[in-house]
Amino acid sequence: MNRTRRDRDTEGRARNARPRDGLGRPLPYGAAGVDRQPEGVERTPEETLREAQRLLDAGLPFHAHEVFEDAWKSCGEEGERELWRGLAQLAVGLTHAARGNAEGGARLLRRGADRIRAFSPRHGIDVGGLVSWAGELADRLEGGGAAGPAAGVVPGTGASGVDPVAVAPRLRLPDEVEGLG
């Protein structure tokens, strides 16, 4: 029987307390890491998109994935839940690409794009632009990994993959972005 103690949150749920790097990978206990996104936060669609875009622009796609995951898990409308789930897959696909996992990144980018493709623009989300972005990045990853002008060692992570800041997608339609302030 495994008697290893597990990290627990204040409610007693198993929760890994190890610090994480900017791409969400666990670091050794005691290492300086990046603050984690709080889990289970209910936000409006506008707040979700604003926070996720801020994180993507900062090169933190894993954290943006966590924001989208909160939206998908708290969404009451079944159909819309798939939109948020697809956006979470796009963000985690970018995470894998930045970590140097070209195959996994491409797979998740395509899966996320397929999930959101059928949606008309909701909440000002640029569905068509995101589907195109995901397909282009997946093609690039499948055509030679992270090769290209945005490739190299990702600042602050030591990872060899695409630079998540350089390839971060725009979530909103151009005329919707101005209202984000």
Side-chain angles (χ1 to χ4, degrees), residues 1-77:
M1 179 155 86
N2 184 352
R3 296 190 182 266
T4 305
R5 292 193 161 223
R6 296 182 75 185
D7 297 327
R8 303 260 174 208
D9 65 14
T10 56
E11 284 83 39
R13 291 182 301 240
R15 184 87 59 214
N16 192 326
R18 285 174 58 184
R20 304 276 175 157
D21 72 7
L23 296 175
R25 292 175 298 203
L27 298 170
Y29 285 102
V34 173
D35 288 339
R36 296 173 89 167
Q37 270 309 113
E39 293 182 41
V41 176
E42 290 191 33
R43 299 174 181 88
T44 66
E46 184 76 24
E47 292 166 335
T48 296
L49 292 166
R50 185 179 297 121
E51 180 64 3
Q53 188 68 66
R54 183 187 73 74
L55 292 164
L56 289 167
D57 291 346
L60 301 169
F62 179 80
H63 296 76
H65 149 265
E66 295 288 336
V67 170
F68 287 134
E69 191 172 271
D70 283 342
W72 135 41
K73 289 181 176 180
S74 67
C75 183
E77 186 185 330

Side-chain angles (χ1 to χ4, degrees), residues 56 61-62 64-65 68 86-96 109 133:
L56 289 167
F62 179 80
H65 149 265
F68 287 134
L87 292 170
Q89 288 175 322
L90 293 178
V92 82
L94 178 54
T95 300
H96 281 277
L109 288 164
W133 166 83

Side-chain angles (χ1 to χ4, degrees), residues 127-141:
V127 173
L130 288 168
V131 168
S132 293
W133 166 83
E136 289 167 12
L137 183 53
D139 286 347
R140 188 172 126 204
L141 292 168

Side-chain angles (χ1 to χ4, degrees), residues 151-162:
V153 176
V154 179
T157 67
S160 179
V162 299

